[in-house]
Amino acid sequence: MRTQPGLLAPRQLLRSLPDACRKLDPRTLWRNPVMFIVEIGAVWTTVLAALHPSVFGWLIVGWLWLTVVFANLAEAVAEGRGEAQAESLRRAKADVVARRLTGDPDTPEERIPAPELRRGDHVVVEAGQIIPGDGDVVEGIAGVDESAITGESAPVIRESGGDRSAVTGGTRVLSDRIVVRITQEPGKSFVDRMIALVEGASRQKTPNEIALNILLAALTIVFLLAVATLQPMAIYAKDVNPGVPASPALGEHGVAGVVLVSLLVCLIPTTIGALLSAIGIAGMDRLVQRNVLATSGRAVEAAGDVGTLLLDKTGTITLGNRQAAAFLRVAGTPEDELADAAQLSSLADETPEGRSVVVFAKQRYGLRERTPGELTHATWVPFTAQTRMSGVDLDDPKRSLRKGAAGAVADWVRGHGGDVPAELARIADGISASGGTPLAVGEAVDGSARVLGVVHLKDVVKEGMRERFGEMRRMGIRTVMITGDNPLTAKAIADEAGVDDYLAEARPEDKLALIRTEQAGGRLVAMTGDGTNDAPALAQADVGVAMNTGTSAAKEAGNMVDLDSDPTKLIEIVEIGKQLLITRGALTTFSIANDVAKYFAIIPALFAGLYPGLAALNVMRLHSPQSAILSAVVFNALVIVALIPPALRGVPYRPGGASRLLSRNLAVYGLGGLAAPFAGIKLIDLLVRYLPGMS
Amino acid sequence: MRYPRWLRLHLAALRALLVLTAVLGVAYPLAVYAVGRLPGLHDQAGGSFVELDGRTVGSALIGQSFTGPDGKPLKRYFQSRPSSGGHDPMASGASNLGPEDVVDRPGRQSLLTQVCVRSKAIGELNGVSGARPFCTPGGAGAVLAVFGPRAADGTVPRPTRVVSVNESHTPFMASYKGVRVEPARPGEDYAKGLVVPVRGDAPADPAVPPDAVTASGSGLDPDISPAYAAIQAGRVAQARGVPPAQVERLIKEQGRALGFMGEPTVNVLKLNIALDRAYPAR
Amino acid sequence: MSTTLAGILFIGSLLMALAVVYRPLGDYMYRVYTRPSHSRVERAVYRTVGADPDGEQTWGAYARSVLAFALVGILFLYGFQRLQNHLPLSLGRTPVKPDQAWNTAVSFVTNTNWQSYSGETTMGHLVQMSGLAVQNFVSAAMGMCVAVALIRGFVRKKTGHLGNFWVDLTRTCVRILLPIAFAAAIVLIAGGLVQNFGGGHVADTLTGAHQQIPGGPVASQEAIKELGTNGGGFYNANSAHPFENATAWTNWLEILLILVIPFSLCRTFGRMVGQNRQGYAILAVMGGIALVSVTLLNVFQLTHHGTVPAAAGGSMEGVEMRFGVANSATFAGATTLTSTGAVDSFHDSYTSLGGMMTLLNMMLGEVAPGGTGSGLYGMLILAVVTVFVAGLMVGRTPEYLGKKIGSREIKFAAMYFLSTPVLVLGGTAVALAVPDGRAGMLNRGAHGFSEVLYAFTSASNNNGSAFAGLTVNTVFYDTALGLCMALGRFLPIVFVLALAGSLARQGRVPESAGTLPTHRPQFAGMLAGVTVVLVALTFLPALALGPLAEGIRS
């Protein structure tokens, strides 16, 4: 479902044009007060132009209508991009037949259309079939192709019980047979929600958007007032200058209606008013592009505000498993011998830790990996949870090797008549203290046994995490690592990864308590989770991202679902949230800053005839009053189109402190917003001066 | 009896106002008054009155007119600044005329003409040039109403008719942009013309100083600038028949407070009292 | 010494004096508003009022108390003026006519102190000192109370309480305004201001004429008139009158009195929110805008552009000799940047652009530094708006001083900054559209327009200064401007208190590296920019038809 975020193609604009025109309907447009006022102005000037036709009047009318159309276009394009995604999702859910289990021994199964499934129904799905609805696997294990939703072609395993039991309607079972208990209500499946989301149908205004709308409404009222009260002032000014002949812009009855509307449209924040909803839609869209589904826009905005990030250690901060990081000799065992013994004793250990010993021996000591079949007369002893050891017994010469938990190996050495040096305990304690896990390697030859050394296993922090967390800190986000490890281990990893804090020996209720404490301190908390026992915490967190691989309970509790089940995605989500707000703020600033230049275009155009001194305000040296007013209106309309791409793409966000960010955005959108229209209006004036009716 | 809540609130507010009035509106001014009775403050609190020969001739802080019954300046006295209220302390205030009030109206001279008239009169009285920028030699505002088609920038590049609006006799200039300048005819409305003040070639820094030709803010300004005092000294000396140097010696220039506050001034009443004391009028 | 250098030193010495008192006065006011103990006099006041000094009020109760006190004040002052002929010290003055009495009552209760009357001929001494001057105290105090309530909104968390209006009011009057005013009044007497209860003294002038010289309790009223940023003069000529402002140094002192509380409140604000640097940031914005404005005003006045100033050779029309052009311009800046409205020279006769600066200062909403209290709360409202836009640009829900600026907060802030433009522009438009409005103009053309615009700007922003050529003692102007003053004062106050209530209910968001720092030059610069740009955009068309039309020469 990943669609190309790409640049805005002109074709896309054209395709959205019909939609944009449909949105001219006042019944839909009134929801956007700024543009609604522009439309009213356009209607009124149309009437005026029809009553007193002039080239100038009709040009203004045309561009006023274009202003509204351009604003609608922005929204239509944003929605259009979602539509393509919705289409591919609809295909995924087309015409699936469900095999519902009836519980009746005679007809154990019946075929019904998927949309008729209800919560609690049990369905059976076999290889090659499409899962008819969202639910949990209650029986069996299967490989599932979820590419229709996640875009990932690699199959995933879904099995009953545990945290990998959730399946999504519309995905395909590749192997085996599973029984699924449906957990959705009809028409409210995950795919349905996704479609609604990407189409923007379920979009509600987010809190910041509402606040911004209030501010824009207030600004609109101010300018409405400034323009409305200009009329009696202009009439007075005209009255006291009886020698000045009436001009097309200013006559006995004050400023011409067309000009008054032009001034109003130029002043009210049309730029941000036009783009505001597109920014919101595009923000959600960017999340979808990254395979994250947010159930509410509020959550996306909250992501930008997150003050504390709870991250599970395993899989998020560290690679999934512990790995061998050093071989430590005991009692003067030669290092090569220790490495050889460690490798041999681990060959039968298929756990990730065991594999890592073999890999480490190869990488560090250049020991070729031997396969169990390669050695004759060897009895392999695999790792079990009971013995907590793995190893090998060799016949010729008779020699046994064991590798495992330090205590277990020590007992084994003693049992074979050997002594365990105190050094072992010291080394093992040292490793434990540093957060690692010690594994001892022992050898028994002909009735005598000894400890060869210790393997230091440790958690390996993913590459780049330290920098990532540094970035977070500069963004003002506190990172807290959640782990089931003991405090010692947790601290060591926390230090290495560079998180700000950790919660060791964490139980789900500890997590919940931590979230509550952070929230009581005024911080917004974001977390990821997948298990059912994460559900309360996910629900409590302000941003709860459930892994798509997780249980239905987790997905219900959170307010976002990551289809890639990538816990580090949280960081990107935060960035998207911030980008959404930044884009709104930046374009608002730009929109307001634009007004300054427009005044310099329109005020002298209107009043220089009455008060010759005001011609000095015509700093752009615009051709004529008509061309000045038209240029301002044209610029105002075109700038909307010019800003559609940044509105949809979002203003670039680079993590960093608030001050730097503000400086940059102020320079670009504040100062840029002041300067751009001076250049733009002048350029347009250079062109439109050749139109008829411009002098 | 229990009043409704809103009434109780307003009664509380009234009680608060009354008790605060007692403290702030009665006790406080009386306390200030009491302190003002102390020596060192007493004179000022009373009004800084000055006496000559046992009679109170005014307040050192309040300016007065030194004109004769006909309203003409008495030559033996230094003159105060113009006052829009005739130096009547019961009618303090300013002219409030704007910086572009340049066209005379029936019954009211424009501020520009007032300035020009004063400058001319003061110049003549004191034997200096009364010429000023934007003033006609005759002592009126040099302002033209220019008629003709307006250009886009509001100017009249090719006038058809030009009137000197503040002059009903021979205009101060013969022609403007090739068009003959007419004098204004009383009762005619020139509002349709473009108002063009004409700078003329008077120096930017005229002989009669600015304070002499402008009305003060209070209408009671007790001071004039040292420059205005200087141009009057000769005339006063002549009127009193004393050498100018002796009159000049009586001019007590009050420098800026602490060296930088305000402007140097000369208190006219005190100066005139000093004159009357030193050289009683004959 | 040149006039320019002297003018610079004059401004510089004022800045130094303000810097010297900033901390002690700000800290003192902080203690006044935060200490729990009550003095004996204050307890007596509370007993009389029937208020529990330790009982706190919600924003609604606080607002109701403010409004009730104001309403009672207006009625009381109206009655006082109407009945003055029956009271002692009336000097035989007749009752003030109803529309003028209404206008004056509203004017003084709202801290506007617009004068549609001439003090020396209209008001008796008792009305002046026990009516008008009392409102000089309490209307100033009311602004400070509201500002403090707003600060409490920022400081407190999860509470509905904003303090007790009666306590704040009493303490402001008794502990802050009264002692300073008393000391200032004595110093002003030393400078030449009168303080007596005489009906006037007839002098026999040198030329043999008679001059009636009025008296009155002027010094006591002058001190609080400036300190409380009120501005209603004892005499018609206001602070240009030698008995109200006798020397160049009393002029300096009066400017200092005007500015001292509004600027020092920044310190109080910083102390109350626990971060002095937040106070300095607000101070920097206020000070920066004020300095630029006063400098421009001085420049325009000293270059004396325009026909009449050029003809006169200086902008001396309506200016007193002892102050000179430069110091008068500084006074004009101080009075219009605050909500004072006292004048030591007449703005109507200023150069066009100089006059525009006084107008622009008021249009800024009087926030640099603004009236006592009202300047601070006005600036904090602008800070809220700025934080909102800036906060979005750093990618977070905007926060100011640990409080989130959400839709509720923006709503109140928006209504606040809407209210004055509505009154100013609406009022001006109406006045120009009706014959009664146009009839009052003294000057013609663009300048006449400026007079009307100035009147509504001054009234709606509670300044009180005037382009005094406008004849405002008419039923139309007395009524319309009275309405503008009342709405321009109390609508914003209600919105500020509502905002304070909404802020106090919130918890506090801890600061982090992602929080927009609001104490750095960057934010201060942006706040100043927002203040100026918002105002410029709102009022530029009006300014173009008034002072700009008159003042720019092609």
Side-chain angles (χ1 to χ4, degrees):
Chain A
M1 206 197 73
R2 282 168 202 271
T3 50
Q4 204 50 38
L7 274 169
L8 194 65
R11 287 231 324 273
Q12 207 171 353
L13 286 177
L14 275 180
R15 255 207 320 275
S16 304
L17 206 53
D19 272 337
C21 292
R22 264 194 293 281
K23 285 172 184 281
L24 287 174
D25 186 341
R27 282 167 303 180
T28 49
L29 201 63
W30 73 269
R31 265 180 289 244
N32 184 344
V34 177
M35 294 323 295
F36 188 58
I37 286 181
V38 180
E39 186 172 41
I40 293 175
V43 171
W44 189 42
T45 50
T46 310
V47 174
L48 289 177
L51 292 176
H52 311 283
S54 72
V55 177
F56 170 69
W58 282 114
L59 279 170
I60 295 282
V61 167
W63 279 97
L64 289 181
W65 280 111
L66 278 178
T67 309
V68 191
V69 170
F70 289 162
N72 292 342
L73 197 60
E75 198 178 78
V77 169
E79 286 172 355
R81 282 150 61 105
E83 222 124 275
Q85 292 159 346
E87 234 5 81
S88 78
L89 283 169
R90 279 209 190 86
R91 275 198 298 277
K93 85 176 214 161
D95 305 334
V96 177
V97 174
R99 293 163 61 192
R100 183 163 71 174
L101 297 177
T102 57
D104 182 349
D106 297 334
T107 49
E109 208 180 286
E110 61 180 6
R111 287 174 176 267
I112 60 163
E116 288 176 19
L117 283 175
R118 312 204 71 82
R119 186 194 284 259
D121 284 348
H122 285 68
V123 294
V124 65
V125 193
E126 283 180 326
Q129 293 176 338
I130 290 183
I131 299 173
D134 301 351
D136 288 328
V137 179
V138 290
E139 192 183 313
I141 177 170
V144 179
D145 170 14
E146 295 193 336
S147 61
I149 295 183
T150 65
E152 283 298 329
S153 53
V156 294
I157 299 297
R158 293 284 179 260
E159 59 189 340
S160 62
D163 288 345
R164 289 193 297 173
S165 61
V167 288
T168 309
T171 57
R172 183 183 297 272
V173 173
L174 293 178
S175 65
D176 304 290
R177 170 186 186 275
I178 49 175
V179 175
V180 175
R181 188 185 63 237
I182 298 297
T183 55
Q184 66 163 81
E185 288 298 345
K188 291 195 181 153
S189 76
F190 198 60
V191 173
D192 291 322
R193 289 218 311 262
M194 257 178 98
I195 292 171
L197 203 66
V198 295
E199 282 190 322
S202 63
R203 210 179 85 78
Q204 282 175 327
K205 288 202 173 112
T206 56
N208 278 316
E209 198 178 350
I210 293 170
L212 184 53
N213 262 317
I214 292 174
L215 185 68
L216 295 182
L219 284 172
T220 307
I221 294 172
V222 166
F223 291 127
L224 208 55
L225 192 76
V227 172
T229 56
L230 186 58
Q231 191 65 297
M233 297 180 194
I235 292 173
Y236 168 79
K238 187 75 188 59
D239 283 354
V240 296
N241 289 285
V244 179
S247 74
L250 183 62
E252 298 303 323
H253 305 292
V255 181
V258 174
V259 177
L260 218 50
V261 172
S262 304
L263 180 60
L264 177 66
V265 169
C266 284
L267 292 181
I268 61 176
T270 45
T271 314
I272 181 67
L275 298 173
L276 195 55
S277 69
I279 293 170
I281 297 169
M284 295 293 270
D285 191 46
R286 277 197 296 282
L287 264 188
V288 174
Q289 310 263 351
R290 283 173 181 75
N291 272 357
V292 176
L293 290 187
T295 52
S296 76
R298 186 183 285 265
V300 186
E301 224 166 53
D305 289 347
V306 160
T308 306
L309 213 52
L310 302 190
L311 296 159
D312 278 326
K313 182 201 78 179
T314 309
T316 309
I317 296 174
T318 62
L319 296 171
N321 306 294
R322 312 189 138 213
Q323 296 185 350
F327 294 146
L328 303 168
R329 298 177 296 156
V330 170
T333 316
E335 229 170 298
D336 291 354
E337 195 183 328
L338 172 59
D340 185 67
Q343 188 218 38
L344 273 177
S345 57
S346 300
L347 284 175
D349 183 356
E350 284 300 329
T351 62
E353 287 86 356
R355 299 296 309 153
S356 81
V357 174
V358 177
V359 170
F360 184 73
K362 180 178 175 186
Q363 281 171 349
R364 181 64 62 85
Y365 296 93
L367 292 181
R368 190 173 58 82
E369 185 181 341
R370 285 162 286 197
T371 52
E374 199 176 321
L375 293 166
T376 48
H377 314 295
T379 313
W380 300 99
V381 182
F383 177 86
T384 67
Q386 284 76 38
T387 60
R388 297 195 292 154
M389 289 189 296
S390 66
V392 63
D393 296 325
L394 301 167
D395 281 352
D396 188 21
K398 199 164 175 60
R399 179 172 173 230
S400 292
L401 292 170
R402 288 292 182 275
K403 177 223 74 189
V409 171
D411 289 345
W412 179 79
V413 167
R414 282 194 205 94
H416 286 75
D419 284 333
V420 177
E423 206 183 345
L424 175 65
R426 212 173 52 243
I427 293 174
D429 287 349
I431 291 172
S432 296
S434 74
T437 308
L439 293 180
V441 180
E443 182 194 47
V445 181
D446 295 335
S448 79
R450 60 178 176 141
V451 176
L452 294 175
V454 180
V455 179
H456 183 172
L457 286 183
K458 65 188 250 190
D459 267 316
V460 177
V461 173
K462 284 186 185 171
E463 218 165 300
M465 289 320 275
R466 213 179 163 73
E467 291 69 35
R468 231 42 213 283
F469 293 136
E471 257 169 31
M472 293 272 141
R473 201 165 300 118
R474 282 194 297 282
M475 285 157 61
I477 296 173
R478 219 166 75 86
T479 44
V480 180
M481 182 183 84
I482 309 290
T483 172
D485 292 339
N486 62 52
L488 268 181
T489 314
K491 179 173 183 345
I493 297 166
D495 286 346
E496 192 182 342
V499 291
D500 295 317
D501 203 354
Y502 60 90
L503 181 66
E505 290 171 348
R507 295 160 302 161
E509 53 269 33
D510 298 334
K511 224 169 174 173
L512 193 60
L514 176 64
I515 293 175
R516 290 213 168 111
T517 331
E518 291 288 319
Q519 286 173 335
R523 289 189 194 81
L524 264 55
V525 181
M527 68 168 286
T528 58
D530 51 6
T532 301
N533 55 16
D534 283 333
L538 277 172
Q540 177 71 32
D542 302 281
V543 178
V545 184
M547 300 293 104
N548 192 39
T549 51
T551 60
S552 304
K555 283 155 85 172
E556 282 294 322
N559 44 21
M560 291 191 199
V561 176
D562 178 17
L563 300 174
D564 297 341
S565 303
D566 171 8
T568 57
K569 194 74 78 57
L570 203 45
I571 297 170
E572 283 176 53
I573 294 173
V574 168
E575 293 185 357
I576 290 172
K578 286 193 178 296
Q579 201 183 25
L580 181 65
L581 297 183
I582 291 172
T583 307
R584 282 193 198 131
L587 294 186
T588 304
T589 308
F590 187 86
S591 190
I592 298 170
N594 261 221
D595 283 359
V596 176
K598 294 171 190 164
Y599 265 137
F600 278 96
I602 295 180
I603 293 291
L606 271 177
F607 298 124
L610 290 179
Y611 298 114
L614 292 179
L617 292 180
N618 184 5
V619 289
M620 289 172 271
R621 299 279 145 227
L622 302 179
H623 176 65
S624 69
Q626 289 89 330
S627 78
I629 294 164
L630 181 63
S631 302
V633 171
V634 171
F635 176 84
N636 193 54
L638 289 182
V639 83
I640 295 174
V641 183
L643 288 176
I644 290 178
L648 295 188
R649 213 169 33 220
V651 166
Y653 172 72
R654 268 182 237 119
S659 279
R660 284 234 320 274
L661 209 59
L662 180 60
S663 295
R664 196 182 148 276
N665 287 329
L666 262 185
V668 175
Y669 293 93
L671 298 181
L674 274 178
F678 281 101
I681 291 174
K682 177 71 191 170
L683 271 175
I684 296 167
D685 181 70
L686 288 175
L687 297 174
V688 301
R689 65 172 59 180
Y690 299 110
L691 292 174
M694 283 301 123
S695 52
Chain B
M1 163 174 172
R2 198 116 174 100
Y3 299 116
R5 211 171 71 144
W6 67 269
L7 188 57
R8 265 184 290 145
L9 178 65
H10 285 81
L11 286 174
L14 181 62
R15 285 195 297 269
L17 181 63
L18 291 175
V19 70
L20 287 172
T21 300
V23 176
L24 307 168
V26 179
Y28 160 69
L30 284 175
V32 174
Y33 174 73
V35 176
R37 304 298 297 163
L38 296 175
L41 296 175
H42 179 262
D43 285 348
Q44 293 97 313
S48 305
F49 291 114
V50 281
E51 296 186 351
L52 180 67
D53 304 334
R55 65 182 172 121
T56 301
V57 294
S59 164
L61 295 176
I62 303 291
Q64 39 182 271
S65 306
F66 298 96
T67 51
D70 55 356
K72 292 225 174 89
L74 293 172
K75 290 193 173 180
R76 64 180 189 274
Y77 286 120
F78 282 85
Q79 296 298 309
S80 299
R81 295 181 60 193
S83 162
S84 55
H87 293 105
D88 178 5
M90 299 311 286
S92 65
S95 75
N96 287 307
L97 294 173
E100 302 301 328
D101 185 45
V102 297
V103 179
D104 295 351
R105 282 189 258 172
R108 181 165 85 63
Q109 276 183 342
S110 66
L111 182 56
L112 179 62
T113 295
Q114 290 182 27
V115 166
C116 297
V117 167
R118 288 169 188 153
S119 188
K120 182 160 182 288
I122 291 169
E124 283 166 2
L125 181 68
N126 298 305
V128 296
S129 163
R132 304 195 91 76
F134 297 108
C135 289
T136 67
V143 180
L144 304 177
V146 180
F147 297 82
R150 306 268 177 140
D153 63 356
T155 55
V156 182
R158 268 179 295 281
T160 54
R161 185 185 174 207
V162 181
V163 179
S164 171
V165 288
N166 295 336
E167 288 179 310
S168 51
H169 47 84
T170 318
F172 64 96
M173 63 196 296
S175 71
Y176 176 78
K177 290 193 180 173
V179 178
R180 191 182 70 86
V181 178
E182 311 166 17
R185 272 192 295 266
E188 199 172 343
D189 183 14
Y190 299 113
K192 287 193 173 174
L194 178 68
V195 173
V196 179
V198 179
R199 164 83 177 58
D201 49 9
D205 200 7
V208 178
D211 62 298
V213 296
T214 51
S216 65
S218 60
L220 301 172
D221 198 336
D223 303 313
I224 55 175
S225 66
Y228 188 28
I231 63 166
Q232 297 190 63
R235 178 254 305 165
V236 172
Q238 195 184 20
R240 292 187 182 248
V242 296
Q246 293 190 9
V247 171
E248 278 164 19
R249 213 172 303 131
L250 289 178
I251 299 177
K252 293 271 181 327
E253 181 179 328
Q254 176 77 41
R256 292 190 172 100
L258 300 180
F260 64 90
M261 291 178 183
E263 293 292 335
T265 54
V266 173
N267 186 297
V268 188
L269 179 60
K270 284 185 185 168
L271 175 57
N272 284 335
I273 288 174
L275 271 175
D276 275 0
R277 281 203 180 117
Y279 314 104
R282 282 166 295 178
Chain C
M1 186 182 291
S2 75
T3 298
T4 309
L5 179 59
I8 292 171
L9 284 175
F10 188 79
I11 296 171
S13 58
L14 279 168
L15 288 180
M16 269 180 49
L18 286 169
V20 167
V21 294
Y22 178 74
R23 281 180 61 163
L25 181 58
D27 288 347
Y28 175 70
M29 291 193 285
Y30 162 74
R31 289 194 295 275
V32 167
Y33 291 117
T34 50
R35 287 242 172 109
S37 55
H38 311 285
S39 73
R40 197 173 301 168
V41 182
E42 288 162 0
R43 282 191 191 281
V45 175
Y46 305 143
R47 260 199 308 279
T48 319
V49 176
D52 169 15
D54 300 314
E56 293 244 330
Q57 293 173 314
T58 61
W59 81 262
Y62 204 101
R64 279 194 297 277
S65 301
V66 169
L67 295 177
F69 189 68
L71 181 65
V72 167
I74 291 173
L75 294 175
F76 184 80
L77 204 48
Y78 179 85
F80 213 148
Q81 295 175 78
R82 299 285 295 145
L83 299 173
Q84 72 160 335
N85 51 331
H86 302 296
L87 297 168
L89 287 176
S90 68
L91 310 176
R93 306 270 188 268
T94 51
V96 182
K97 67 188 178 77
D99 54 325
Q100 192 171 27
W102 139 259
N103 182 287
T104 306
V106 171
S107 164
F108 276 74
V109 171
T110 57
N111 197 250
T112 313
N113 309 71
W114 171 271
Q115 281 174 273
S116 76
Y117 63 91
S118 165
E120 53 265 50
T121 53
T122 314
M123 301 291 174
H125 290 340
L126 192 68
V127 172
Q128 295 256 28
M129 75 176 197
S130 305
L132 304 181
V134 169
Q135 286 300 330
N136 280 358
F137 277 98
V138 294
S139 68
M142 190 185 283
M144 293 164 75
C145 295
V146 173
V148 166
L150 176 60
I151 301 173
R152 291 194 186 117
F154 281 110
V155 176
R156 298 182 174 182
K157 40 186 184 181
K158 309 224 156 136
T159 172
H161 291 146
L162 293 176
N164 185 314
F165 172 68
W166 304 113
V167 173
D168 292 338
L169 174 73
T170 310
R171 286 189 180 185
T172 309
C173 288
V174 173
R175 296 197 201 179
I176 300 172
L177 299 176
L178 187 56
I180 303 178
F182 183 76
I186 304 299
V187 178
L188 288 173
I189 291 178
L193 271 68
V194 298
Q195 178 78 6
N196 57 52
F197 297 100
H201 193 295
V202 179
D204 300 319
T205 66
L206 291 184
T207 60
H210 300 291
Q211 190 182 33
Q212 193 188 348
I213 298 172
V218 179
S220 57
Q221 185 162 338
E222 193 70 17
I224 187 60
K225 161 190 148 190
E226 316 296 2
L227 181 68
T229 64
N230 295 283
F234 200 94
Y235 302 111
N236 187 47
N238 208 297
S239 287
H241 196 294
F243 280 168
E244 288 201 35
N245 198 357
T247 65
W249 69 260
T250 55
N251 193 43
W252 183 92
L253 178 62
E254 288 183 13
I255 298 175
L256 180 67
L257 287 173
I258 287 172
L259 297 174
V260 72
I261 288 181
F263 273 126
S264 300
L265 271 176
C266 296
R267 171 75 181 184
T268 312
F269 163 70
R271 284 292 302 273
M272 285 182 77
V273 300
Q275 289 182 53
N276 284 331
R277 54 192 192 175
Q278 299 288 356
Y280 282 115
I282 297 292
L283 175 72
V285 178
M286 290 179 169
I289 293 176
L291 199 56
V292 169
S293 165
V294 167
T295 305
L296 283 175
L297 191 43
N298 268 278
V299 168
F300 289 140
Q301 285 301 89
L302 287 173
T303 51
H304 59 86
H305 67 88
T307 310
V308 175
S315 310
M316 281 298 289
E317 182 70 24
V319 170
E320 297 284 292
M321 194 59 230
R322 60 193 179 284
F323 309 142
V325 173
N327 294 1
S328 295
T330 304
F331 192 106
T335 193
T336 48
L337 283 164
T338 60
S339 78
T340 312
V343 291
D344 78 348
S345 55
F346 283 75
H347 303 174
D348 213 347
S349 301
Y350 270 30
T351 59
S352 306
L353 298 181
M356 180 183 74
M357 288 310 298
T358 61
L359 195 48
L360 197 57
N361 284 343
M362 295 185 291
M363 286 171 170
L364 287 173
E366 287 167 359
V367 290
T372 51
S374 61
L376 181 62
Y377 64 65
M379 186 54 94
L380 290 178
I381 293 277
L382 284 165
V384 164
V385 174
T386 307
V387 153
F388 183 75
V389 178
L392 287 179
M393 274 198 285
V394 303
R396 278 169 73 104
T397 295
E399 293 151 18
Y400 186 50
L401 304 171
K403 300 288 183 166
K404 293 209 166 182
I405 307 304
S407 50
R408 197 177 153 78
E409 289 74 23
I410 277 294
K411 189 170 74 196
F412 292 128
M415 290 200 286
Y416 179 99
F417 79 67
L418 267 179
S419 37
T420 15
V422 169
L423 295 171
V424 172
L425 293 174
T428 307
V430 169
L432 290 177
V434 301
D436 280 353
R438 288 194 188 187
M441 297 178 194
L442 171 67
N443 289 275
R444 285 207 286 191
H447 201 78
F449 172 78
S450 297
E451 287 178 350
V452 175
L453 180 64
Y454 197 107
F456 283 94
T457 307
S458 176
S460 307
N461 283 293
N462 302 130
N463 184 277
S465 69
F467 263 22
L470 189 70
T471 306
V472 287
N473 187 16
T474 63
V475 175
F476 171 77
Y477 278 112
D478 275 337
T479 313
L481 295 173
L483 278 173
C484 283
M485 290 187 273
L487 295 174
R489 177 71 165 179
F490 298 113
L491 285 180
I493 281 184
V494 170
F495 298 142
V496 167
L497 289 174
L499 174 67
S502 160
L503 292 170
R505 262 202 303 278
Q506 289 186 27
R508 255 189 120 152
V509 185
E511 217 174 295
S512 78
T515 314
L516 174 79
T518 50
H519 61 273
R520 302 230 178 108
Q522 176 194 47
F523 179 77
M526 193 175 170
L527 177 51
V530 165
T531 308
V532 173
V533 168
L534 270 186
V535 168
L537 292 180
T538 311
F539 294 109
L540 193 69
L543 289 174
L545 289 174
L548 284 176
E550 187 183 65
I552 305 183
R553 297 262 141 215
S554 52

